[in-house]
Amino acid sequence: MMFWYDHDISGWGWFAMSASMILFWALTITVAVLLFRALARPPEHTHVPSAPTAEQVLAHRLARGEIDEDEYRRRLGALRQSGPGAPP
C-alpha cells in the first residue's frame, strides 16, 4: 500500500502542470480567435469592374472599324463639349 502514497508531485511538477494548462488554453483561445476572424472576414476579391466611359466606348468602336476617324473626332468633340454632367 505504500506505493500509492509514495509518488507525490513536487513543486516543479505543479509548476509544469500549471504552465502547460495555461499554454493549452492560450493556444486554444488563439486558434478560436483566428478561426473566427478568418470566417467573419468578407471575401477580398470583390472588385467589380467599372463601366467604360463614353470616350472609351468611342475609341473601341474606332478600333473595331465601326466608325471612321472623322466620325470619331466629331463625336469626341461633342462628348467633350457637353461635359460629364450635361444632360443628353
Side-chain angles (χ1 to χ4, degrees), residues 1-8:
M1 285 289 230
M2 276 308 264
F3 179 74
W4 295 106
Y5 299 106
D6 206 18
H7 297 288
D8 288 334

Side-chain angles (χ1 to χ4, degrees), residues 8-32:
D8 288 334
I9 297 176
S10 66
W12 287 108
W14 282 105
F15 174 75
M17 187 171 54
S18 299
S20 64
M21 185 57 70
I22 291 170
L23 181 63
F24 168 76
W25 283 113
L27 287 174
T28 302
I29 291 169
T30 301
V31 167

Side-chain angles (χ1 to χ4, degrees), residues 38-63:
L39 294 176
R41 185 182 320 160
E44 294 179 11
H45 302 290
T46 58
H47 182 277
V48 177
S50 61
T53 64
E55 290 184 11
Q56 290 173 337
V57 172
L58 194 59
H60 287 189
R61 288 186 65 194
L62 175 67

